[in-house]
Amino acid sequence: MNNLQISSIIDKAEKNHHLDCDEICTLLAIESDELLQKLFQAAYRIKLAEIGNIVSLRGLIEIGNICRKNCYYCGIRSGNHNLSRYLLTQDEILHCAELAIKFNYGSIVLQGGELNTPDFIDFIEDTLIKIKKLSDNQLGITLSLGEQTLESYQRWFAAGAHRYLLRIETSNEELYKKLHPASHSFKERLNSLDYLRRANYQVGSGVMFGFEGQSYSDMANDLLFLKKLDVDMVGMGPYSIHKDTPMGANHPPLDNDKQLKLGLKMIAVLRLIMPDINIASTTVLQALSPMGREAGLLAGANVIMPNLSDVVYRKSYQLYDNKPGIDENALESRENLEKSIHSIGEKINYGQWGDSRHFAKR
Ligand code: SAM
Ligand code: SF4
């Protein structure tokens, strides 16, 4: 396909927000800088028209790295014994929530390894109630704590959480089986996404991409899957190596520039087909390039998750090697982020929950 034809696919999608699998594959395969800029600029124009030059923040609290799962790619998988395990105390989580209030972030995310013991479910429920009380109901709360029963999701919703992020990781069941041990079920993952909708959350999902054995058409189908699921928000990012994992051990180095470009193309194409959802510019982009998260915003993303966790714990929460900001405290994270967001002409949506327009229209 020549550049003129590719250019007309972008023009058409900017107007009607529709792309089929072949068209998405064509856009994901773009190599020319001129066409890449055209794609990113079209996605950014949609973001400006639907959302404005506004970035919403979610203060990220990495509550613990104890996980019952053993995903082949993840640095905190249960089978990795080269790290010390932690679960923050309630006071430590509340302290992070207080920082979010002090920094006027408007919203937080509690993210961590997947646990489903009755004690853990009670602990999260009680912590949510305390965060709501402490913030006078002002702080928005997103959870990302893996697969749970419908009842647990409902209890956490009733306690004050209103958004939940659960990535499908890949929409291709065969690939899912390659990324996970046999005990991790693709169908259960889908069921959990259904439970989240039934429990009234704003539902977020996402994928990991750019790993061996995956084709452009798998990635295109991932984006079409997210559209079909009608998600309110997306957090997705390129695979990055963690050497103490089955997928990362002996993995040849990945090309950072290629992974970053792929990440930006995925964001831009998603923005073309889902104009009014929240899309996160994830930390993994910053790991690939110092200005990676800002590039994500300019390719159509509108959410950033600055880390609020204490630096003492950050090195124990490495999903992949070379996680950025490991020694940077929450105040430094905030100051650096504010400067860099302003430098690209965007404004921070301080003090707001920043729900997606997609959800508001539902
Ligand atoms: N345990 C919860 C779950 O899996 O849904 C939430 C925390 S989990 C660490 C958050 C996300 O990290 C996962 O959905 C996965 O996509 C991502 N992740 C883990 N290891 C990664 C890696 N090596 N490269 C890129 N992303 C990774
Ligand atoms: Fe656990 Fe989530 Fe990592 Fe899988 S991706 S091992 S569920 S923390």
Side-chain angles (χ1 to χ4, degrees):
M1 200 176 280
N2 65 36
N3 283 6
L4 215 60
Q5 288 166 314
I6 300 176
S7 198
S8 73
I9 294 178
I10 300 172
D11 290 337
K12 182 195 67 133
E14 188 178 352
K15 286 194 193 92
N16 70 5
H17 310 305
H18 178 80
L19 287 168
D20 65 26
C21 184
D22 288 345
E23 290 170 329
I24 296 179
C25 289
T26 302
L27 299 186
L28 294 179
I30 290 177
E31 299 230 341
S32 113
D33 278 340
E34 198 187 323
L35 281 175
L36 268 187
Q37 286 319 313
K38 174 158 177 128
L39 173 66
F40 298 157
Q41 284 164 10
Y44 188 64
R45 275 194 298 275
I46 296 177
K47 184 249 174 191
L48 282 182
E50 294 283 338
I51 300 164
N53 64 336
I54 289 168
V55 182
S56 290
L57 300 182
R58 317 269 179 257
L60 175 65
I61 308 175
E62 295 163 339
I63 67 159
N65 65 0
I66 306 169
C67 188
R68 70 192 189 99
K69 291 278 185 73
N70 211 5
C71 308
Y72 291 148
Y73 44 86
C74 176
I76 63 171
R77 64 197 297 271
S78 56
N80 182 9
H81 302 294
N82 287 340
L83 76 165
S84 55
R85 299 283 171 176
Y86 74 92
L87 178 64
L88 296 188
T89 63
Q90 190 170 71
D91 281 348
E92 287 171 321
I93 298 176
L94 294 180
H95 173 70
C96 293
E98 275 165 353
L99 274 183
I101 296 167
K102 183 170 149 203
F103 294 163
N104 204 16
Y105 281 172
S107 196
I108 55 172
V109 183
L110 305 190
Q111 193 198 65
E114 182 178 307
L115 290 174
N116 62 358
T117 59
D119 280 355
F120 183 73
I121 307 300
D122 291 348
F123 172 71
I124 296 298
E125 182 180 46
D126 190 50
T127 306
L128 290 168
I129 291 168
K130 296 221 164 79
I131 294 173
K132 279 299 190 191
K133 197 163 167 212
L134 151 108
S135 74
D136 206 12
N137 279 330
Q138 295 303 305
L139 211 49
I141 309 177
T142 305
L143 296 178
S144 182
L145 300 171
E147 293 165 36
Q148 305 289 344
T149 61
L150 174 61
E151 191 212 343
S152 298
Y153 285 147
Q154 286 169 329
R155 280 176 56 192
W156 291 348
F157 185 86
H162 62 114
R163 292 190 281 241
Y164 204 105
L165 184 64
L166 183 74
R167 292 185 181 182
I168 188 69
E169 310 297 357
T170 167
S171 60
N172 175 332
E173 188 165 3
E174 288 314 306
L175 280 181
Y176 192 91
K177 284 183 191 153
K178 291 193 178 141
L179 296 178
H180 301 96
S183 57
H184 299 19
S185 153
F186 181 74
K187 296 214 165 52
E188 274 308 309
R189 199 91 183 155
L190 287 176
N191 281 343
S192 297
L193 284 163
D194 181 50
Y195 293 160
L196 287 168
R197 194 66 92 194
R198 282 161 61 186
N200 287 324
Y201 285 89
Q202 294 177 43
V203 178
S205 192
V207 288
M208 201 180 66
F209 47 83
F211 51 86
E212 225 178 272
Q214 193 191 33
S215 63
Y216 282 138
S217 100
D218 291 320
M219 291 179 235
N221 282 323
D222 284 347
L223 296 177
L224 293 170
F225 168 90
L226 295 170
K227 178 150 174 135
K228 191 159 171 234
L229 199 64
D230 197 27
V231 289
D232 302 303
M233 55 199 200
V234 168
M236 61 179 179
Y239 166 66
S240 200
I241 296 169
H242 192 299
K243 63 180 177 354
D244 296 327
T245 60
M247 242 169 100
N250 308 317
H251 197 296
L254 285 162
D255 178 339
N256 279 0
D257 190 50
K258 203 169 149 207
Q259 292 296 86
L260 176 64
K261 277 195 184 130
L262 189 59
L264 300 178
K265 287 188 254 187
M266 287 286 279
I267 289 175
V269 173
L270 183 66
R271 179 59 75 200
L272 289 180
I273 60 173
M274 298 196 78
D276 56 1
I277 60 165
N278 279 345
I279 304 178
S281 189
T282 49
T283 315
V284 71
L285 298 180
Q286 194 190 358
L288 295 169
S289 155
M291 285 296 277
R293 280 191 308 186
E294 292 72 10
L297 295 176
L298 293 174
N302 69 310
V303 171
I304 283 195
M305 294 159 57
N307 205 332
L308 286 172
S309 312
D310 194 311
V311 285
V312 174
Y313 295 110
R314 289 198 197 181
K315 57 180 163 312
S316 302
Y317 198 90
Q318 290 202 66
L319 311 177
Y320 43 83
D321 297 329
N322 307 320
K323 172 183 175 176
I326 258 190
D327 302 318
E328 187 186 69
N329 69 35
L331 181 62
E332 286 161 347
S333 294
R334 180 192 196 268
E335 288 171 351
N336 291 338
L337 187 67
E338 188 171 78
K339 261 191 236 143
S340 69
I341 287 179
H342 288 163
S343 77
I344 59 164
E346 292 274 302
K347 286 187 298 207
I348 297 179
N349 199 13
Y350 279 122
Q352 303 296 316
W353 285 14
D355 289 339
S356 70
R357 280 189 57 193
H358 192 76
F359 175 75
K361 285 184 206 157
R362 192 182 288 284

